[in-house]
Amino acid sequence: MTCMKSDFIRRTMGYHHLAIGLFLLQIFYNNLCNCQIPQSFDDTETLPSPRAYTPDVGLLDFVYHNHDEMTRFLRTTSARYPNLTALYSIGKSIQGRDLWVIVVSSSPYEHMVGKPDVKYIANIHGNEAVGKELMLHLVQYFVTSYNTDPYIKWLLDNTRIHILPSLNPDGYAVSKEGTCDGGQGRYNARGFDLNRNFPDYFKQNTKREQPETDAVKEWISKIQFVLSGSLHGGALVASYPYDNTPNSRICRSSALCKMFQSYSSQPSLTPDDDVFKHLSLTYANNHAKMSRGVACKSATPSFENGITNGAAWYPLTGGMQDYNYVWYGCMEVTLEVSCCKFPPAHELRKYWEDNQLSLVKFLAEAHRGVQGFVMDSNGLPIERASLKIKGRDVGFQSTKYGEFWRILLPGIYKLEVFADGYAPREVDFMVIEQHPTLLNVTLQASKRNDGPYNNYRPVSAAQQQHYRPQPDRDQGILSSLSSGFNSLVSNIFG
């Protein structure tokens, strides 16, 4: 009897273990059949190809996203947050890839009168890939923090933020993860460096215009951007205008510039040098490492406080930041965010942690200085009025709503305002640290035969914005040697 009872118990326990095994197998099968596609992709899409490591579960993984994956993330985000985002394309690359821009704001589909538009552009060099991923994570951070972070809510309620994650998707497509140096993927599909393809203030740029840069030029001609950041890789520094100088040597590539960086690199300072240094320091000081000014490699320069004047680092012709500033009064800073141009994907989380606060605080600087409206005597806005701060001969214009903005540090200034058909006006004002100065300017219509304003015709913005610095004519033989060397370098490396 005892043997029969023991045998019964063994059989019962065996069935019990079998039942548990079948139950666990069923749970595994159900989970397998109901697996969740990462939310950064549409439900109708197939899973992405295997990554180099296991990605995090969440809205956006810390991995590199190709153009199709980036497009799906931007479309999904725009659909999921229609009250905070709007997606549009400013054009197409050589190979037909859309140049996507996503607006993040509490008013994404229309301009908020009296509130500035700002922008970030990344991946202008296709093999400098960290900036593109930072932009995607910045978008996610904004939309997921709006209802929980008062500072982010204030920023999105008072600013329209335009983010272009990849200006050079064709170059990115042929770049290789893990490649820290070199030029593969740097250029667009026609072999042009897009950051040498803009009109230049100091020298005529003879490079053939490219569709990617044409798209940017048309874009910023339609939207009065106040502040901009251009994200690059290969160094750790915030670089501010001017990038070029009247005495600059020809610099066809960053590698060439580094070869000769000790040769007569001098700062080329704008009339707003104090503001540009402040903007650069805002980014560097909020970055985890940049402000230390540590060189990426022993053979490369270090940067005091993590900032540099562009021309002092190495001069270049046709840069985007000079074009933004000279042609449209938009203050753009070049942000070099990684020593390695295309580091392994497992390092992306750290890059995001290093740059997150800087990316937010930099944009908030658009709310520093002076802002207001230019109106006629009937209170109607005057569009395209030409403005400049006296002593700072770089102009800017009013929008179709008569709005204007200018980033300035605390001090006393004089605003000069001109508009066709109106008497010019000068207005004194003060800027303080705590908040922007609100300044509305009313212009009176000029009479055809009314004294000194009879023949007044304001010149176009491009004409009136600048004095043109001239090369020093008294350098004698050194000047001649410099010109000869520039010609030689141009012929050899051009």
Side-chain angles (χ1 to χ4, degrees):
M1 187 62 143
T2 303
C3 292
M4 290 179 63
K5 184 177 181 180
S6 299
D7 185 54
F8 174 76
I9 292 173
R10 283 195 298 271
R11 289 199 304 270
T12 302
M13 291 299 293
Y15 295 148
H16 180 65
H17 290 156
L18 179 61
I20 293 174
L22 291 172
F23 177 72
L24 293 174
L25 183 62
Q26 181 66 36
I27 292 175
F28 174 78
Y29 176 78
N30 289 340
N31 288 338
L32 181 65
C33 294
N34 293 288
C35 59
Q36 296 296 313
I37 295 176
Q39 295 179 9
S40 55
F41 303 97
D42 291 338
D43 291 340
T44 57
E45 299 291 341
T46 59
L47 285 169
S49 58
R51 302 293 187 180
Y53 72 105
T54 303
D56 295 333
V57 177
L59 289 175
L60 186 69
D61 300 327
F62 283 98
V63 296
Y64 289 106
H65 297 81
N66 64 32
H67 189 73
D68 290 339
E69 292 168 341
M70 181 188 75
T71 300
R72 286 197 291 271
F73 168 74
L74 294 175
R75 284 175 171 166
T76 301
T77 301
S78 183
R80 186 174 288 139
Y81 299 94
N83 296 325
L84 289 176
T85 61
L87 183 64
Y88 63 97
S89 173
I90 62 170
K92 292 184 181 291
S93 66
I94 295 292
Q95 296 178 344
R97 295 179 173 93
D98 275 296
L99 305 176
W100 293 116
V101 175
I102 188 166
V103 181
V104 189
S105 171
S106 61
S107 179
Y109 287 95
E110 61 182 1
H111 172 70
M112 298 183 290
V113 176
K115 298 178 180 179
D117 286 84
V118 298
K119 62 181 169 70
Y120 275 131
I121 299 178
N123 206 207
I124 188 171
H125 293 140
N127 62 338
E128 297 172 12
V130 173
K132 178 168 74 72
E133 298 304 325
L134 291 182
M135 292 298 95
L136 301 184
H137 282 278
L138 184 63
V139 171
Q140 178 182 267
Y141 176 66
F142 280 149
V143 297
T144 57
S145 302
Y146 180 77
N147 290 321
T148 58
D149 188 326
Y151 188 87
I152 298 301
K153 187 178 189 306
W154 167 82
L155 185 63
L156 299 190
D157 285 346
N158 292 279
T159 325
R160 291 186 79 227
I161 303 168
H162 303 246
I163 296 176
L164 198 170
S166 180
L167 182 58
N168 188 2
D170 297 350
Y172 176 82
V174 298
S175 302
K176 301 297 183 183
E177 181 180 337
T179 304
C180 289
D181 301 301
Q184 182 176 350
R186 175 183 177 89
Y187 310 103
N188 75 345
R190 288 178 180 161
F192 283 82
D193 186 328
L194 299 180
N195 202 38
R196 308 291 190 275
N197 198 242
F198 287 87
D200 194 89
Y201 167 51
F202 292 95
K203 294 177 173 61
Q204 182 179 4
N205 192 352
T206 58
K207 298 291 182 64
R208 186 168 54 142
E209 297 176 345
Q210 298 302 298
E212 295 92 345
T213 48
D214 283 344
V216 170
K217 288 186 285 185
E218 183 177 3
W219 180 37
I220 64 179
S221 72
K222 294 178 178 178
I223 301 175
Q224 185 74 21
F225 289 110
V226 178
L227 178 64
S228 176
S230 173
L231 278 78
H232 290 249
L236 202 59
V237 66
S239 174
Y240 54 90
Y242 292 118
D243 266 335
N244 208 353
T245 171
N247 295 315
S248 69
R249 62 187 180 277
I250 302 300
C251 230
R252 301 298 187 187
S253 70
S254 58
L256 175 63
C257 293
K258 289 174 182 176
M259 288 173 59
F260 298 105
Q261 62 190 4
S262 62
Y263 173 77
S264 68
S265 292
Q266 297 295 326
S268 182
L269 306 181
T270 70
D272 290 292
D273 186 61
D274 58 337
V275 176
F276 276 116
K277 285 179 179 174
H278 169 80
L279 293 173
S280 301
L281 285 170
T282 296
Y283 197 93
N285 288 339
N286 285 288
H287 189 278
K289 303 180 182 70
M290 189 178 291
S291 63
R292 300 176 193 168
V294 179
C296 286
K297 298 177 183 178
S298 59
T300 58
S302 59
F303 303 100
E304 184 177 0
N305 299 318
I307 69 173
T308 184
N309 172 259
W313 185 12
Y314 61 84
L316 60 91
T317 297
M320 185 168 65
Q321 70 176 8
D322 285 11
Y323 177 77
N324 271 267
Y325 177 61
V326 174
W327 266 256
Y328 293 99
C330 173
M331 294 186 171
E332 180 169 287
V333 174
T334 297
L335 306 169
E336 301 273 357
V337 296
S338 63
C339 289
C340 180
K341 293 184 178 182
F342 204 148
H346 65 81
E347 298 180 6
L348 285 174
R349 180 188 294 275
K350 184 59 178 174
Y351 283 113
W352 167 243
E353 293 170 352
D354 288 349
N355 287 275
Q356 178 183 358
L357 184 60
S358 293
L359 290 168
V360 175
K361 291 290 189 179
F362 180 82
L363 294 181
E365 290 301 307
H367 297 279
R368 174 185 294 277
V370 62
Q371 63 184 63
F373 294 84
V374 180
M375 302 167 291
D376 64 16
S377 57
N378 296 315
L380 298 176
I382 298 177
E383 181 180 3
R384 293 191 179 278
S386 298
L387 305 96
K388 70 175 181 177
I389 305 300
K390 191 165 187 177
R392 299 177 180 234
D393 296 320
V394 180
F396 49 103
Q397 290 188 325
S398 61
T399 69
K400 67 179 180 179
Y401 304 106
E403 311 152 287
F404 69 89
W405 298 265
R406 196 62 170 180
I407 302 174
L408 294 165
L409 301 186
I412 298 174
Y413 302 91
K414 187 185 295 291
L415 179 68
E416 299 178 328
V417 188
F418 310 88
D420 194 10
Y422 296 88
R425 189 176 173 191
E426 294 185 352
V427 182
D428 294 307
F429 66 96
M430 175 183 291
V431 170
I432 62 175
E433 178 68 30
Q434 285 74 20
H435 54 77
T437 298
L438 303 179
L439 181 66
N440 295 331
V441 180
T442 300
L443 297 184
Q444 302 295 328
S446 60
K447 299 178 181 179
R448 296 183 67 90
N449 297 308
D450 189 12
Y453 304 134
N454 181 31
N455 295 318
Y456 171 72
R457 291 290 184 273
V459 295
S460 67
Q463 291 175 310
Q464 68 91 21
Q465 283 174 349
H466 277 289
Y467 61 88
R468 182 176 291 274
Q470 296 297 322
D472 188 349
R473 301 298 183 186
D474 299 322
Q475 298 183 49
I477 189 169
L478 289 177
S479 178
S480 301
L481 288 172
S482 175
S483 299
F485 181 81
N486 289 346
S487 300
L488 175 62
V489 171
S490 179
N491 291 333
I492 295 175
F493 296 99

